Amino acid sequence: EDKVVQSPLSLVVHEGDTVTLNCSYEVTNFRSLLWYKQEKKAPTFLFMLTSSGIEKKSGRLSSILDKKELSSILNITATQTGDSAIYLCAVEGGSNYKLTFGKGTLLTVNP
Amino acid sequence: SAVISQKPSRDICQRGTSLTIQCQVDSQVTMMFWYRQQPGQSLTLIATANQGSEATYESGFVIDKFPISRPNLTFSTLTVSNMSPEDSSIYLCSVGLVSTDTQYFGPGTRLTVL
């Protein structure tokens, strides 16, 4: 059975801090790893990673995949209160775009 | 990306009744999915909605409880049948775009069953 594990499950930081969120996976026929941000109901897409060692960046957020270690990290620098959300890691395995999600990391950024 | 809408955005229902959730996409997409997110939990795939044929259900989900229709490439419905309080969840549709190989989510439907 495909499995995605995220850590930590929750994290409280102060504005300006840098955070690193972790995701590890066991998936047959790995195709890609995706990061989403969930604030209310709908997860919004952040990154899709398919190749090891290539960092993807968007503003203060960046992410990298390590296919040898079967893991990925999501970094957020200079955090802001608007970064407070649940960050979800999902892995696509096999065909058909099926995603297996981790439980998420609840990030709280205090002013 | 694609623009995805869901109706209703939220509902409160009595046990034993059924609710149909609609998902509309602004472009033709190949893949459409339905997920459930129970309180405090992550997303779980219910089924893949197949255009013109029966949906493909994941383990633990059955057609009698969660009938799905997909009459064309831009629209799908999920019905939650004979509801119980355990069905209280957020229900999300998502679409997979071949052009970007990425999956995007609709705004979700928050269902509360009393």
Side-chain angles (χ1 to χ4, degrees), chain A residues 6 31-32 34 36 38 40-45 48 50 86 88-89 92 96-104, chain B residues 9 31 33 35 37 41-43 45 48 58 90 92 96-98 100-110:
Chain A
Q6 291 186 246
R31 285 168 55 93
S32 64
L34 296 92
Y36 292 88
Q38 186 177 30
K40 289 185 180 173
K41 288 186 296 187
T44 53
F45 172 77
M48 185 179 78
T50 55
I86 297 172
L88 295 167
C89 172
E92 182 193 351
N96 222 31
Y97 295 89
K98 174 185 168 180
L99 295 181
T100 300
F101 280 84
K103 290 186 184 296
Chain B
S9 63
M31 315 301 296
F33 305 90
Y35 287 83
Q37 187 175 30
Q41 302 296 314
S42 192
L43 281 74
L45 179 64
T48 303
E58 296 299 308
I90 296 172
L92 295 143
L97 297 186
V98 173
T100 62
D101 213 16
T102 301
Q103 204 167 126
Y104 295 92
F105 285 85
T109 297
R110 189 184 297 276

Side-chain angles (χ1 to χ4, degrees), chain B residues 14-39:
Chain B
Q14 297 295 323
R15 70 168 67 213
T17 62
S18 298
L19 176 73
T20 295
I21 303 167
Q22 298 179 4
C23 178
Q24 180 77 53
V25 189
D26 69 341
S27 56
Q28 292 188 350
V29 293
T30 306
M31 315 301 296
M32 290 183 82
F33 305 90
W34 287 97
Y35 287 83
R36 178 176 76 179
Q37 187 175 30
Q38 293 177 299

